Amino acid sequence: MNVLIIGSGGREHALAWKVKQSPRLTKLYIAPGNAGTNDCGENIALDIRDHTSVIRFCEEKKIDLVIVGPEIPLADGLVDSLSAQGIRCFG
């Protein structure tokens, strides 16, 4: 399972740390991530405000699940945009 975590704070670090423990995980990406998340997966320089870029990344990397941590991308409708493209996500 390929997973993308959106965010760069402590909440996302905790999520990445736990997701990394899953035996079902194939690849973990964190956008944009931080120094701590880099130990859990691959930090990606992705503009999380640009929904089209996030969707394109998910399609290119065959992301199975997106976890959105921060409130701003949630309020901006990132989960709605991903869901409309058939990309499984929660936030």
Side-chain angles (χ1 to χ4, degrees):
M1 177 178 243
N2 295 327
V3 177
L4 170 63
I5 296 176
I6 301 290
S8 61
R11 176 185 311 154
E12 292 76 36
H13 182 210
L15 287 165
W17 174 78
K18 193 60 180 174
V19 168
K20 179 184 175 185
Q21 297 173 23
S22 172
R24 298 180 64 193
L25 181 67
T26 303
K27 182 75 176 178
L28 176 59
Y29 301 96
I30 307 97
N34 61 45
T37 59
N38 200 44
D39 292 337
C40 302
E42 183 178 344
N43 287 344
I44 301 297
L46 186 62
D47 182 358
I48 62 175
R49 295 168 295 170
D50 182 352
H51 296 193
T52 302
S53 292
V54 174
I55 291 166
R56 188 177 319 117
F57 178 84
C58 290
E59 292 171 347
E60 289 173 3
K61 299 297 184 178
K62 297 181 173 45
I63 299 297
D64 299 298
L65 177 64
V66 179
I67 302 169
V68 182
E71 291 83 5
I72 292 175
L74 292 172
D76 287 344
L78 181 57
V79 170
D80 296 331
S81 296
L82 292 164
S83 294
Q85 296 299 313
I87 299 168
R88 288 186 284 175
C89 55
F90 75 89

